[in-house]
Amino acid sequence: MEKILIVEDEEKLARFIELELEHEGYQVGKASNGREGLALVEAGSFDLVLLDIMLPGLNGIEVLRRIRNFSKIPVILLTARDTVVDKVTGLDGGADDYITKPFAIEELLARIRACLRKTAAACEADQSALQIDSLTLYPERREVKIEQDNIELTRREFDLLHYLLQNKNIVMDRERLLNQIWGYDYSGGTNSVDVYIRYLRAKIEEPYNIKLIHTVRGIGYVIKDED
Ligand code: CA
């Protein structure tokens, strides 16, 4: 059962949301000010936070900033003020979504579901991710990241890198790479492999001054951590 924390100083509203969430089958925790909310997030058992912006003491934006220092827990901001500034500040501060009071409870529930789904999908993607040095490849999303940069690869470059990573530390000969990535009916020679290895190196190694793909002379290539 997913646990949701409500950080809201308006007791009646907090109670109303609590009952609705419990009715939907969520477990609910409540905090009536920012410090208490932050402490409960730090304690670590919640899956999502509904965070009011206008709170006594520590305001919601500041609570969010502090949460983001240690946690990626999804946060939906609640606010009475429908101003662009709030929205931008909140989303820049790492909020996952934003809802303006007064809101229909169905809308809040829909946003909560969407937020939890997105987090679950991101978790799955992270689990199947392949990593070497500072590079991470996400097979489902077909994304490659180095540090915080998204690396733009063509389909063939991505497939080649993916295959090398699946076989990390194993030397792959050119024939095998050609058959695997280009297919058995490809009529070009194995130098296509060399060409694409060069493309990859220009995108993932040279700009970051790292060495991942190693040439094994007379045979092919291997991807491995620098020794
Ligand atoms: Ca408030």
Side-chain angles (χ1 to χ4, degrees), residues 103-168:
F103 47 79
I105 193 70
E106 291 76 18
E107 190 186 352
L108 179 64
L109 292 172
R111 300 227 185 162
I112 289 172
R113 282 192 298 270
C115 220
L116 290 171
R117 261 202 312 274
K118 212 169 66 185
T119 312
C123 277
E124 269 169 45
D126 285 349
Q127 275 163 15
S128 62
L130 298 166
Q131 201 173 358
I132 187 164
D133 201 290
S134 51
L135 181 149
T136 311
L137 180 145
Y138 301 91
E140 285 85 4
R141 288 186 256 153
R142 292 188 72 84
E143 275 178 19
V144 174
K145 274 195 165 187
I146 300 180
E147 289 151 22
Q148 292 308 308
D149 300 346
N150 276 312
I151 310 300
E152 294 291 331
L153 297 181
T154 64
R155 190 177 63 84
R156 194 148 274 166
E157 288 164 358
F158 181 91
D159 290 343
L160 181 58
L161 179 62
H162 187 196
Y163 190 67
L164 286 169
L165 275 171
Q166 285 176 311
N167 295 283
K168 194 159 119 178

Short mmCIF file of all heavy atoms in Angstrom, two decimals, residues 103-168:
data_model
loop_
_atom_site.label_atom_id
_atom_site.label_comp_id
_atom_site.label_asym_id
_atom_site.label_seq_id
_atom_site.Cartn_x
_atom_site.Cartn_y
_atom_site.Cartn_z
N PHE A 103 -9.31 22.70 -5.53
CA PHE A 103 -9.24 21.72 -6.62
C PHE A 103 -10.31 20.66 -6.40
O PHE A 103 -10.78 20.46 -5.27
CB PHE A 103 -7.86 21.07 -6.69
CG PHE A 103 -7.35 20.61 -5.35
CD1 PHE A 103 -7.80 19.43 -4.77
CD2 PHE A 103 -6.42 21.38 -4.65
CE1 PHE A 103 -7.33 19.02 -3.54
CE2 PHE A 103 -5.95 20.97 -3.40
CZ PHE A 103 -6.41 19.80 -2.84
N ALA A 104 -10.70 20.01 -7.47
CA ALA A 104 -11.61 18.88 -7.35
C ALA A 104 -10.78 17.69 -6.88
O ALA A 104 -9.68 17.47 -7.37
CB ALA A 104 -12.25 18.57 -8.70
N ILE A 105 -11.31 16.93 -5.92
CA ILE A 105 -10.54 15.82 -5.36
C ILE A 105 -10.17 14.80 -6.44
O ILE A 105 -9.08 14.23 -6.42
CB ILE A 105 -11.29 15.17 -4.16
CG1 ILE A 105 -10.35 14.23 -3.39
CG2 ILE A 105 -12.55 14.44 -4.61
CD1 ILE A 105 -9.26 14.92 -2.61
N GLU A 106 -11.07 14.64 -7.43
CA GLU A 106 -10.77 13.69 -8.51
C GLU A 106 -9.51 14.10 -9.26
O GLU A 106 -8.74 13.25 -9.70
CB GLU A 106 -11.92 13.61 -9.52
CG GLU A 106 -13.19 12.96 -9.00
CD GLU A 106 -13.98 13.88 -8.07
OE1 GLU A 106 -13.76 15.12 -8.09
OE2 GLU A 106 -14.81 13.36 -7.29
N GLU A 107 -9.34 15.42 -9.41
CA GLU A 107 -8.15 15.88 -10.12
C GLU A 107 -6.90 15.58 -9.31
O GLU A 107 -5.89 15.12 -9.84
CB GLU A 107 -8.24 17.38 -10.43
CG GLU A 107 -7.12 17.77 -11.38
CD GLU A 107 -7.01 19.26 -11.65
OE1 GLU A 107 -7.90 20.02 -11.23
OE2 GLU A 107 -6.02 19.63 -12.28
N LEU A 108 -6.98 15.82 -8.01
CA LEU A 108 -5.83 15.53 -7.15
C LEU A 108 -5.50 14.03 -7.21
O LEU A 108 -4.34 13.64 -7.35
CB LEU A 108 -6.11 15.95 -5.71
CG LEU A 108 -4.96 15.67 -4.73
CD1 LEU A 108 -3.71 16.48 -5.10
CD2 LEU A 108 -5.36 15.95 -3.29
N LEU A 109 -6.53 13.20 -7.12
CA LEU A 109 -6.30 11.74 -7.16
C LEU A 109 -5.65 11.32 -8.48
O LEU A 109 -4.76 10.48 -8.49
CB LEU A 109 -7.63 10.99 -6.95
CG LEU A 109 -8.25 11.14 -5.54
CD1 LEU A 109 -9.65 10.52 -5.50
CD2 LEU A 109 -7.35 10.53 -4.48
N ALA A 110 -6.13 11.92 -9.57
CA ALA A 110 -5.56 11.58 -10.88
C ALA A 110 -4.08 11.96 -10.95
O ALA A 110 -3.25 11.23 -11.47
CB ALA A 110 -6.34 12.29 -11.99
N ARG A 111 -3.76 13.13 -10.40
CA ARG A 111 -2.36 13.57 -10.42
C ARG A 111 -1.49 12.68 -9.55
O ARG A 111 -0.34 12.41 -9.88
CB ARG A 111 -2.26 15.01 -9.93
CG ARG A 111 -3.06 15.93 -10.80
CD ARG A 111 -2.29 17.14 -11.18
NE ARG A 111 -3.13 18.04 -11.92
CZ ARG A 111 -2.86 19.32 -12.09
NH1 ARG A 111 -1.77 19.82 -11.56
NH2 ARG A 111 -3.67 20.07 -12.79
N ILE A 112 -2.04 12.26 -8.43
CA ILE A 112 -1.29 11.35 -7.55
C ILE A 112 -1.00 10.04 -8.27
O ILE A 112 0.13 9.56 -8.28
CB ILE A 112 -2.08 11.08 -6.23
CG1 ILE A 112 -2.08 12.34 -5.36
CG2 ILE A 112 -1.50 9.90 -5.47
CD1 ILE A 112 -2.99 12.25 -4.14
N ARG A 113 -2.03 9.49 -8.92
CA ARG A 113 -1.84 8.23 -9.65
C ARG A 113 -0.79 8.39 -10.75
O ARG A 113 0.10 7.55 -10.89
CB ARG A 113 -3.16 7.75 -10.26
CG ARG A 113 -4.09 7.09 -9.25
CD ARG A 113 -5.24 6.37 -9.96
NE ARG A 113 -6.08 7.28 -10.73
CZ ARG A 113 -7.16 7.91 -10.25
NH1 ARG A 113 -7.53 7.73 -9.00
NH2 ARG A 113 -7.86 8.72 -11.02
N ALA A 114 -0.89 9.49 -11.51
CA ALA A 114 0.06 9.73 -12.60
C ALA A 114 1.48 9.84 -12.06
O ALA A 114 2.43 9.28 -12.61
CB ALA A 114 -0.32 10.99 -13.36
N CYS A 115 1.61 10.53 -10.95
CA CYS A 115 2.92 10.75 -10.33
C CYS A 115 3.53 9.44 -9.85
O CYS A 115 4.71 9.17 -10.08
CB CYS A 115 2.71 11.68 -9.15
SG CYS A 115 3.97 12.90 -8.97
N LEU A 116 2.73 8.61 -9.22
CA LEU A 116 3.22 7.34 -8.70
C LEU A 116 3.58 6.39 -9.86
O LEU A 116 4.55 5.66 -9.80
CB LEU A 116 2.18 6.68 -7.78
CG LEU A 116 1.99 7.38 -6.43
CD1 LEU A 116 0.79 6.80 -5.69
CD2 LEU A 116 3.24 7.28 -5.57
N ARG A 117 2.76 6.43 -10.94
CA ARG A 117 3.05 5.61 -12.12
C ARG A 117 4.38 6.00 -12.75
O ARG A 117 5.19 5.17 -13.11
CB ARG A 117 1.95 5.81 -13.18
CG ARG A 117 0.89 4.72 -13.20
CD ARG A 117 0.17 4.67 -14.54
NE ARG A 117 -0.27 5.96 -15.02
CZ ARG A 117 -1.42 6.53 -14.69
NH1 ARG A 117 -2.26 5.93 -13.86
NH2 ARG A 117 -1.76 7.70 -15.18
N LYS A 118 4.57 7.31 -12.88
CA LYS A 118 5.79 7.83 -13.49
C LYS A 118 7.01 7.39 -12.68
O LYS A 118 8.02 6.97 -13.23
CB LYS A 118 5.71 9.36 -13.55
CG LYS A 118 6.41 9.97 -14.72
CD LYS A 118 6.08 11.45 -14.85
CE LYS A 118 6.62 12.26 -13.69
NZ LYS A 118 6.22 13.67 -13.72
N THR A 119 6.89 7.48 -11.36
CA THR A 119 8.00 7.09 -10.50
C THR A 119 8.30 5.60 -10.65
O THR A 119 9.45 5.19 -10.72
CB THR A 119 7.66 7.39 -9.02
OG1 THR A 119 7.17 8.71 -8.95
CG2 THR A 119 8.88 7.25 -8.15
N ALA A 120 7.23 4.79 -10.70
CA ALA A 120 7.42 3.34 -10.84
C ALA A 120 8.10 3.03 -12.16
O ALA A 120 9.02 2.19 -12.23
CB ALA A 120 6.07 2.62 -10.75
N ALA A 121 7.68 3.72 -13.24
CA ALA A 121 8.28 3.50 -14.56
C ALA A 121 9.75 3.90 -14.55
O ALA A 121 10.60 3.20 -15.11
CB ALA A 121 7.52 4.28 -15.63
N ALA A 122 10.05 5.03 -13.90
CA ALA A 122 11.44 5.49 -13.83
C ALA A 122 12.30 4.49 -13.06
O ALA A 122 13.44 4.23 -13.42
CB ALA A 122 11.51 6.86 -13.18
N CYS A 123 11.72 3.89 -12.00
CA CYS A 123 12.44 2.90 -11.21
C CYS A 123 12.79 1.69 -12.06
O CYS A 123 13.90 1.18 -12.03
CB CYS A 123 11.61 2.43 -10.02
SG CYS A 123 11.73 3.52 -8.63
N GLU A 124 11.78 1.23 -12.84
CA GLU A 124 12.02 0.07 -13.70
C GLU A 124 13.10 0.37 -14.73
O GLU A 124 13.98 -0.44 -14.97
CB GLU A 124 10.75 -0.32 -14.44
CG GLU A 124 9.94 -1.34 -13.69
CD GLU A 124 8.55 -1.51 -14.30
OE1 GLU A 124 8.48 -1.61 -15.54
OE2 GLU A 124 7.58 -1.54 -13.53
N ALA A 125 13.00 1.56 -15.34
CA ALA A 125 14.01 1.94 -16.34
C ALA A 125 15.39 1.97 -15.70
O ALA A 125 16.37 1.52 -16.29
CB ALA A 125 13.67 3.30 -16.94
N ASP A 126 15.47 2.47 -14.47
CA ASP A 126 16.75 2.53 -13.79
C ASP A 126 17.30 1.14 -13.52
O ASP A 126 18.49 0.91 -13.56
CB ASP A 126 16.62 3.30 -12.47
CG ASP A 126 16.51 4.80 -12.71
OD1 ASP A 126 16.75 5.21 -13.87
OD2 ASP A 126 16.20 5.53 -11.77
N GLN A 127 16.40 0.19 -13.24
CA GLN A 127 16.86 -1.15 -12.92
C GLN A 127 17.47 -1.86 -14.12
O GLN A 127 18.37 -2.66 -13.97
CB GLN A 127 15.70 -1.99 -12.36
CG GLN A 127 15.53 -1.77 -10.86
CD GLN A 127 14.19 -2.24 -10.37
OE1 GLN A 127 13.48 -2.96 -11.06
NE2 GLN A 127 13.84 -1.84 -9.17
N SER A 128 16.94 -1.57 -15.33
CA SER A 128 17.47 -2.25 -16.50
C SER A 128 18.62 -1.46 -17.12
O SER A 128 19.17 -1.85 -18.14
CB SER A 128 16.37 -2.47 -17.53
OG SER A 128 15.88 -1.23 -17.95
N ALA A 129 18.97 -0.33 -16.52
CA ALA A 129 20.03 0.52 -17.08
C ALA A 129 21.38 -0.19 -17.03
O ALA A 129 21.65 -0.98 -16.13
CB ALA A 129 20.10 1.82 -16.30
N LEU A 130 22.17 0.08 -18.04
CA LEU A 130 23.52 -0.47 -18.11
C LEU A 130 24.50 0.67 -17.88
O LEU A 130 24.33 1.75 -18.44
CB LEU A 130 23.77 -1.10 -19.49
CG LEU A 130 22.85 -2.28 -19.85
CD1 LEU A 130 22.96 -2.60 -21.33
CD2 LEU A 130 23.22 -3.49 -19.00
N GLN A 131 25.52 0.39 -17.10
CA GLN A 131 26.40 1.48 -16.73
C GLN A 131 27.86 1.12 -16.89
O GLN A 131 28.26 -0.02 -16.67
CB GLN A 131 26.13 1.86 -15.27
CG GLN A 131 26.61 3.26 -14.99
CD GLN A 131 26.21 3.72 -13.61
OE1 GLN A 131 25.55 2.99 -12.87
NE2 GLN A 131 26.64 4.91 -13.25
N ILE A 132 28.62 2.10 -17.33
CA ILE A 132 30.07 1.96 -17.33
C ILE A 132 30.65 3.35 -17.12
O ILE A 132 30.20 4.32 -17.73
CB ILE A 132 30.58 1.32 -18.64
CG1 ILE A 132 32.08 1.04 -18.52
CG2 ILE A 132 30.30 2.18 -19.87
CD1 ILE A 132 32.60 0.08 -19.58
N ASP A 133 31.59 3.43 -16.21
CA ASP A 133 32.19 4.73 -15.89
C ASP A 133 31.07 5.72 -15.64
O ASP A 133 30.13 5.41 -14.90
CB ASP A 133 33.11 5.15 -17.05
CG ASP A 133 34.15 6.18 -16.62
OD1 ASP A 133 33.75 7.33 -16.35
OD2 ASP A 133 35.34 5.84 -16.51
N SER A 134 31.09 6.88 -16.27
CA SER A 134 30.05 7.89 -16.04
C SER A 134 28.90 7.78 -17.05
O SER A 134 27.99 8.59 -17.07
CB SER A 134 30.66 9.29 -16.11
OG SER A 134 31.40 9.42 -17.30
N LEU A 135 28.94 6.73 -17.88
CA LEU A 135 27.91 6.55 -18.92
C LEU A 135 26.82 5.59 -18.45
O LEU A 135 27.12 4.54 -17.88
CB LEU A 135 28.56 6.02 -20.20
CG LEU A 135 27.67 5.77 -21.42
CD1 LEU A 135 28.46 6.01 -22.71
CD2 LEU A 135 27.06 4.37 -21.45
N THR A 136 25.55 5.97 -18.69
CA THR A 136 24.43 5.09 -18.39
C THR A 136 23.55 4.97 -19.62
O THR A 136 23.21 5.97 -20.25
CB THR A 136 23.58 5.63 -17.23
OG1 THR A 136 24.45 5.99 -16.15
CG2 THR A 136 22.59 4.58 -16.74
N LEU A 137 23.19 3.74 -19.97
CA LEU A 137 22.31 3.50 -21.12
C LEU A 137 21.00 2.90 -20.62
O LEU A 137 21.01 1.93 -19.85
CB LEU A 137 23.00 2.56 -22.11
CG LEU A 137 22.23 2.19 -23.38
CD1 LEU A 137 23.20 2.03 -24.57
CD2 LEU A 137 21.43 0.90 -23.20
N TYR A 138 19.87 3.53 -21.01
CA TYR A 138 18.54 3.06 -20.61
C TYR A 138 17.90 2.37 -21.82
O TYR A 138 17.44 3.07 -22.74
CB TYR A 138 17.68 4.23 -20.16
CG TYR A 138 18.27 4.99 -19.00
CD1 TYR A 138 19.10 6.09 -19.21
CD2 TYR A 138 18.02 4.60 -17.69
CE1 TYR A 138 19.67 6.79 -18.15
CE2 TYR A 138 18.57 5.29 -16.61
CZ TYR A 138 19.39 6.37 -16.86
OH TYR A 138 19.95 7.06 -15.80
N PRO A 139 17.83 1.04 -21.84
CA PRO A 139 17.34 0.33 -23.03
C PRO A 139 15.92 0.71 -23.42
O PRO A 139 15.66 0.96 -24.59
CB PRO A 139 17.43 -1.14 -22.62
CG PRO A 139 18.43 -1.19 -21.53
CD PRO A 139 18.31 0.11 -20.81
N GLU A 140 14.97 0.77 -22.45
CA GLU A 140 13.57 1.04 -22.80
C GLU A 140 13.40 2.43 -23.39
O GLU A 140 12.65 2.64 -24.32
CB GLU A 140 12.65 0.91 -21.58
CG GLU A 140 12.36 -0.52 -21.16
CD GLU A 140 13.45 -1.03 -20.25
OE1 GLU A 140 14.37 -0.25 -19.92
OE2 GLU A 140 13.41 -2.22 -19.90
N ARG A 141 14.07 3.38 -22.77
CA ARG A 141 13.92 4.76 -23.24
C ARG A 141 14.84 5.08 -24.40
O ARG A 141 14.78 6.15 -24.98
CB ARG A 141 14.23 5.73 -22.09
CG ARG A 141 13.16 5.75 -21.02
CD ARG A 141 13.47 6.84 -20.01
NE ARG A 141 14.01 6.28 -18.78
CZ ARG A 141 14.82 6.94 -17.95
NH1 ARG A 141 15.22 8.14 -18.24
NH2 ARG A 141 15.22 6.37 -16.84
N ARG A 142 15.72 4.14 -24.72
CA ARG A 142 16.75 4.35 -25.74
C ARG A 142 17.48 5.67 -25.51
O ARG A 142 17.64 6.49 -26.41
CB ARG A 142 16.14 4.29 -27.16
CG ARG A 142 15.65 2.88 -27.51
CD ARG A 142 15.23 2.76 -28.95
NE ARG A 142 16.34 2.78 -29.89
CZ ARG A 142 17.08 1.71 -30.22
NH1 ARG A 142 16.84 0.55 -29.69
NH2 ARG A 142 18.06 1.83 -31.08
N GLU A 143 17.90 5.83 -24.27
CA GLU A 143 18.63 7.05 -23.91
C GLU A 143 20.01 6.69 -23.40
O GLU A 143 20.20 5.65 -22.77
CB GLU A 143 17.90 7.79 -22.78
CG GLU A 143 16.81 8.72 -23.24
CD GLU A 143 16.10 9.38 -22.07
OE1 GLU A 143 16.65 9.42 -20.94
OE2 GLU A 143 14.97 9.84 -22.29
N VAL A 144 20.93 7.60 -23.68
CA VAL A 144 22.28 7.45 -23.13
C VAL A 144 22.63 8.74 -22.43
O VAL A 144 22.45 9.83 -22.97
CB VAL A 144 23.30 7.15 -24.25
CG1 VAL A 144 24.72 7.14 -23.70
CG2 VAL A 144 22.98 5.83 -24.93
N LYS A 145 23.13 8.60 -21.22
CA LYS A 145 23.53 9.79 -20.45
C LYS A 145 24.98 9.67 -20.02
O LYS A 145 25.43 8.61 -19.61
CB LYS A 145 22.66 9.91 -19.19
CG LYS A 145 21.37 10.64 -19.43
CD LYS A 145 20.74 11.05 -18.12
CE LYS A 145 19.65 12.08 -18.37
NZ LYS A 145 19.12 12.63 -17.14
N ILE A 146 25.67 10.79 -20.12
CA ILE A 146 26.99 10.87 -19.51
C ILE A 146 26.95 12.08 -18.59
O ILE A 146 26.58 13.17 -19.01
CB ILE A 146 28.11 11.02 -20.55
CG1 ILE A 146 28.12 9.80 -21.49
CG2 ILE A 146 29.47 11.16 -19.86
CD1 ILE A 146 29.19 9.84 -22.55
N GLU A 147 27.32 11.86 -17.35
CA GLU A 147 27.10 12.87 -16.33
C GLU A 147 25.64 13.32 -16.45
O GLU A 147 24.77 12.49 -16.40
CB GLU A 147 28.13 14.00 -16.47
CG GLU A 147 29.52 13.53 -16.05
CD GLU A 147 30.67 14.23 -16.77
OE1 GLU A 147 30.47 15.34 -17.28
OE2 GLU A 147 31.77 13.66 -16.80
N GLN A 148 25.35 14.59 -16.68
CA GLN A 148 23.94 14.98 -16.81
C GLN A 148 23.51 15.17 -18.26
O GLN A 148 22.38 15.55 -18.53
CB GLN A 148 23.66 16.26 -16.01
CG GLN A 148 23.75 16.06 -14.50
CD GLN A 148 22.91 14.90 -14.00
OE1 GLN A 148 21.73 14.79 -14.28
NE2 GLN A 148 23.53 13.99 -13.26
N ASP A 149 24.41 14.90 -19.20
CA ASP A 149 24.10 15.18 -20.61
C ASP A 149 23.40 14.01 -21.28
O ASP A 149 23.78 12.85 -21.08
CB ASP A 149 25.40 15.44 -21.40
CG ASP A 149 26.18 16.62 -20.84
OD1 ASP A 149 25.60 17.37 -20.04
OD2 ASP A 149 27.36 16.76 -21.20
N ASN A 150 22.38 14.33 -22.08
CA ASN A 150 21.77 13.32 -22.95
C ASN A 150 22.61 13.24 -24.22
O ASN A 150 22.84 14.25 -24.87
CB ASN A 150 20.34 13.71 -23.32
CG ASN A 150 19.37 13.28 -22.25
OD1 ASN A 150 19.40 12.14 -21.79
ND2 ASN A 150 18.52 14.20 -21.82
N ILE A 151 23.03 12.04 -24.59
CA ILE A 151 23.87 11.88 -25.76
C ILE A 151 22.98 11.46 -26.94
O ILE A 151 22.27 10.46 -26.85
CB ILE A 151 24.96 10.80 -25.52
CG1 ILE A 151 25.70 11.05 -24.20
CG2 ILE A 151 25.92 10.75 -26.71
CD1 ILE A 151 26.42 12.37 -24.11
N GLU A 152 23.03 12.22 -28.01
CA GLU A 152 22.22 11.92 -29.19
C GLU A 152 22.94 10.87 -30.04
O GLU A 152 24.01 11.14 -30.57
CB GLU A 152 22.00 13.18 -30.04
CG GLU A 152 21.16 14.25 -29.36
CD GLU A 152 19.71 13.83 -29.22
OE1 GLU A 152 19.22 13.04 -30.06
OE2 GLU A 152 19.05 14.28 -28.25
N LEU A 153 22.35 9.69 -30.16
CA LEU A 153 22.95 8.65 -30.99
C LEU A 153 21.96 8.25 -32.08
O LEU A 153 20.75 8.28 -31.87
CB LEU A 153 23.28 7.41 -30.14
CG LEU A 153 24.30 7.56 -29.01
CD1 LEU A 153 24.50 6.21 -28.32
CD2 LEU A 153 25.63 8.08 -29.53
N THR A 154 22.48 7.83 -33.23
CA THR A 154 21.61 7.27 -34.25
C THR A 154 21.18 5.87 -33.79
O THR A 154 21.76 5.32 -32.85
CB THR A 154 22.34 7.15 -35.60
OG1 THR A 154 23.41 6.22 -35.44
CG2 THR A 154 22.89 8.49 -36.05
N ARG A 155 20.21 5.30 -34.49
CA ARG A 155 19.72 3.98 -34.11
C ARG A 155 20.86 2.96 -34.10
O ARG A 155 21.01 2.16 -33.17
CB ARG A 155 18.62 3.54 -35.08
CG ARG A 155 17.88 2.29 -34.64
CD ARG A 155 16.77 1.96 -35.61
NE ARG A 155 17.27 1.65 -36.94
CZ ARG A 155 17.70 0.44 -37.30
NH1 ARG A 155 17.67 -0.55 -36.45
NH2 ARG A 155 18.14 0.23 -38.52
N ARG A 156 21.67 3.00 -35.14
CA ARG A 156 22.74 2.01 -35.26
C ARG A 156 23.83 2.22 -34.19
O ARG A 156 24.34 1.27 -33.62
CB ARG A 156 23.35 2.08 -36.66
CG ARG A 156 24.21 0.91 -37.00
CD ARG A 156 24.16 0.57 -38.48
NE ARG A 156 23.06 -0.30 -38.81
CZ ARG A 156 22.64 -0.53 -40.06
NH1 ARG A 156 23.23 0.07 -41.08
NH2 ARG A 156 21.65 -1.35 -40.28
N GLU A 157 24.15 3.47 -33.95
CA GLU A 157 25.14 3.77 -32.90
C GLU A 157 24.64 3.26 -31.54
O GLU A 157 25.39 2.65 -30.78
CB GLU A 157 25.39 5.27 -32.81
CG GLU A 157 26.18 5.85 -33.98
CD GLU A 157 26.07 7.37 -34.08
OE1 GLU A 157 25.35 7.99 -33.27
OE2 GLU A 157 26.70 7.92 -35.00
N PHE A 158 23.34 3.51 -31.28
CA PHE A 158 22.77 3.07 -30.01
C PHE A 158 22.82 1.55 -29.91
O PHE A 158 23.23 1.00 -28.88
CB PHE A 158 21.32 3.55 -29.89
CG PHE A 158 20.67 3.16 -28.59
CD1 PHE A 158 20.72 4.01 -27.49
CD2 PHE A 158 20.04 1.92 -28.45
CE1 PHE A 158 20.15 3.64 -26.28
CE2 PHE A 158 19.46 1.55 -27.24
CZ PHE A 158 19.52 2.41 -26.16
N ASP A 159 22.41 0.87 -30.97
CA ASP A 159 22.39 -0.61 -30.94
C ASP A 159 23.79 -1.18 -30.72
O ASP A 159 23.96 -2.15 -29.98
CB ASP A 159 21.80 -1.15 -32.25
CG ASP A 159 20.30 -0.86 -32.35
OD1 ASP A 159 19.68 -0.55 -31.32
OD2 ASP A 159 19.75 -0.95 -33.47
N LEU A 160 24.75 -0.57 -31.38
CA LEU A 160 26.13 -1.04 -31.23
C LEU A 160 26.63 -0.86 -29.79
O LEU A 160 27.17 -1.78 -29.18
CB LEU A 160 27.03 -0.28 -32.22
CG LEU A 160 28.51 -0.63 -32.25
CD1 LEU A 160 28.73 -2.11 -32.58
CD2 LEU A 160 29.25 0.24 -33.29
N LEU A 161 26.37 0.32 -29.25
CA LEU A 161 26.79 0.59 -27.87
C LEU A 161 26.06 -0.33 -26.90
O LEU A 161 26.66 -0.88 -25.97
CB LEU A 161 26.51 2.06 -27.53
CG LEU A 161 26.86 2.50 -26.10
CD1 LEU A 161 28.35 2.35 -25.84
CD2 LEU A 161 26.43 3.94 -25.86
N HIS A 162 24.77 -0.52 -27.13
CA HIS A 162 23.95 -1.39 -26.28
C HIS A 162 24.53 -2.81 -26.26
O HIS A 162 24.70 -3.43 -25.21
CB HIS A 162 22.51 -1.39 -26.79
CG HIS A 162 21.54 -2.11 -25.89
ND1 HIS A 162 20.31 -2.50 -26.31
CD2 HIS A 162 21.64 -2.53 -24.61
CE1 HIS A 162 19.68 -3.12 -25.31
NE2 HIS A 162 20.47 -3.15 -24.27
N TYR A 163 24.84 -3.31 -27.46
CA TYR A 163 25.36 -4.68 -27.57
C TYR A 163 26.72 -4.82 -26.89
O TYR A 163 26.97 -5.79 -26.17
CB TYR A 163 25.45 -5.08 -29.05
CG TYR A 163 25.73 -6.55 -29.23
CD1 TYR A 163 24.79 -7.51 -28.86
CD2 TYR A 163 26.94 -6.98 -29.77
CE1 TYR A 163 25.05 -8.86 -29.01
CE2 TYR A 163 27.21 -8.33 -29.94
CZ TYR A 163 26.26 -9.27 -29.56
OH TYR A 163 26.53 -10.60 -29.71
N LEU A 164 27.57 -3.83 -27.09
CA LEU A 164 28.88 -3.88 -26.43
C LEU A 164 28.71 -3.86 -24.90
O LEU A 164 29.39 -4.60 -24.18
CB LEU A 164 29.75 -2.69 -26.86
CG LEU A 164 30.34 -2.76 -28.28
CD1 LEU A 164 30.93 -1.41 -28.68
CD2 LEU A 164 31.40 -3.86 -28.38
N LEU A 165 27.77 -3.04 -24.42
CA LEU A 165 27.56 -2.94 -22.97
C LEU A 165 26.96 -4.23 -22.38
O LEU A 165 27.27 -4.61 -21.26
CB LEU A 165 26.63 -1.76 -22.65
CG LEU A 165 27.31 -0.40 -22.51
CD1 LEU A 165 26.26 0.69 -22.42
CD2 LEU A 165 28.21 -0.36 -21.28
N GLN A 166 26.09 -4.86 -23.17
CA GLN A 166 25.52 -6.14 -22.70
C GLN A 166 26.62 -7.19 -22.58
O GLN A 166 26.46 -8.18 -21.87
CB GLN A 166 24.45 -6.64 -23.68
CG GLN A 166 23.16 -5.87 -23.59
CD GLN A 166 22.17 -6.33 -24.65
OE1 GLN A 166 22.52 -6.42 -25.83
NE2 GLN A 166 20.95 -6.61 -24.24
N ASN A 167 27.69 -6.99 -23.32
CA ASN A 167 28.81 -7.93 -23.31
C ASN A 167 30.07 -7.28 -22.75
O ASN A 167 31.17 -7.51 -23.23
CB ASN A 167 29.07 -8.44 -24.73
CG ASN A 167 27.89 -9.25 -25.24
OD1 ASN A 167 27.71 -10.39 -24.87
ND2 ASN A 167 27.06 -8.63 -26.07
N LYS A 168 29.85 -6.48 -21.74
CA LYS A 168 30.96 -5.75 -21.11
C LYS A 168 32.10 -6.71 -20.76
O LYS A 168 31.86 -7.82 -20.29
CB LYS A 168 30.41 -5.10 -19.84
CG LYS A 168 31.28 -4.04 -19.22
CD LYS A 168 30.42 -3.16 -18.34
CE LYS A 168 30.87 -3.21 -16.89
NZ LYS A 168 30.05 -2.31 -16.05
#
